[in-house]
Amino acid sequence: TMFRMPDVTSQPVAQMIVNGSEAIDTFLFIGGMLVCYLTVKRVKFEKKSFNIFSFIFYKLWRIAPVLYFILLISTLGPLLGSGPVFHETMRDSVYSCFQSWWQNALFINNFFHAKEMCLEHTWFVSCELQLYLLSIFVIFPLIWSKKIGMALNALIVVGSVVYTGVVTYFFDLSPTVTITHLNPEVMIDEDLQKFSGSRVMRIRCRVPGEST
């Protein structure tokens, strides 16, 4: 079956699964749209004040306690099991937490390479928080002037798209994460690590999803 992977993944239905990582932009789009819409409505139409400290604290209060609890529990992972592949599996996802837990605690782990990341899947939490904070620089212009806000928003989206294209071309990356590689001389794991470390987890490449 593995030898037929290129044929299987070329099918339209399989492409929706293979390109599933791009669905993350859907969640960023929904989150960005709701934050912008509700905040502008509250300030501009309901004439309520915008407190930037409450804006930031509300977000941190929702996600920080849960993330910190998960980081604490993950340190107990090595004590909860054993087996032929247990430590190999834990090495790729949990063992790095002993050195890089602070990256998650500061919500900056998505700026580091995937191999150095504690709980790799939590990159989305940091990316979403960073975009949430950056939305302040889009919300204020929208409140002040609709035209200026929309122009700034369009400029940010175009800049991020261009940046993503340049990075993809410069590092010779595939359009999306693939579970196999058409070139047998290329190691799949190395290709995925290069893809993740260069583009997927970078906030600059996820701005269109939040800003659109």
Side-chain angles (χ1 to χ4, degrees):
T1 304
M2 287 298 296
F3 292 103
R4 297 181 59 249
M5 278 296 180
D7 297 330
V8 174
T9 55
S10 64
Q11 300 300 319
V13 176
Q15 280 294 308
M16 291 188 292
I17 300 175
V18 172
N19 292 279
S21 62
E22 306 305 324
I24 295 174
D25 291 311
T26 303
F27 295 103
L28 294 176
F29 168 76
I30 295 174
M33 180 185 66
L34 289 176
V35 168
C36 184
Y37 172 77
L38 295 176
T39 304
V40 172
K41 177 184 176 183
R42 176 185 177 88
V43 176
K44 198 168 185 178
F45 297 99
E46 298 180 3
K47 306 301 180 181
K48 296 181 180 180
S49 61
F50 177 72
N51 190 315
I52 189 172
F53 297 104
S54 298
F55 183 80
I56 297 174
F57 177 79
Y58 174 73
K59 187 68 172 181
L60 289 174
W61 180 250
R62 290 177 57 195
I63 62 177
V66 177
L67 178 64
Y68 294 160
F69 178 76
I70 293 175
L71 288 175
L72 178 62
I73 294 299
S74 66
T75 60
L76 302 177
L79 304 177
L80 301 179
S82 61
V85 296
F86 177 79
H87 291 288
E88 181 179 352
T89 304
M90 299 295 288
R91 180 189 61 204
D92 296 334
S93 59
V94 175
Y95 286 170
S96 57
C97 292
F98 293 105
Q99 287 78 34
S100 58
W101 61 269
W102 59 272
Q103 300 171 5
N104 297 63
L106 296 177
F107 298 97
I108 58 174
N109 57 313
N110 58 313
F111 283 99
F112 295 84
H113 199 280
K115 285 187 175 181
E116 305 171 359
M117 195 178 298
C118 166
L119 301 176
E120 183 178 336
H121 57 281
T122 60
W123 72 268
F124 173 80
V125 178
S126 299
C127 185
E128 201 272 338
L129 175 63
Q130 293 159 12
L131 290 172
Y132 178 85
L133 297 178
L134 288 176
S135 69
I136 296 174
F137 298 98
V138 176
I139 291 174
F140 271 123
L142 280 173
I143 295 175
W144 182 55
S145 172
K146 180 179 179 180
K147 291 183 178 180
I148 294 178
M150 294 297 292
L152 177 61
N153 192 52
L155 181 63
I156 294 174
V157 171
V158 172
S160 181
V161 170
V162 171
Y163 172 84
T164 304
V166 171
V167 170
T168 302
Y169 176 80
F170 182 78
F171 288 99
D172 192 25
L173 302 176
S174 58
T176 184
V177 177
T178 54
I179 58 177
T180 186
H181 206 291
L182 298 179
N183 185 357
E185 296 181 358
V186 177
M187 295 296 294
I188 297 176
D189 182 64
E190 293 179 1
D191 192 52
L192 290 177
Q193 291 291 345
K194 183 175 68 172
F195 183 91
S196 300
S198 301
R199 181 150 63 93
V200 174
M201 302 176 184
R202 295 293 187 263
I203 183 177
R204 296 182 293 273
C205 300
R206 293 296 182 181
V207 168
E210 182 88 359
S211 301
T212 303

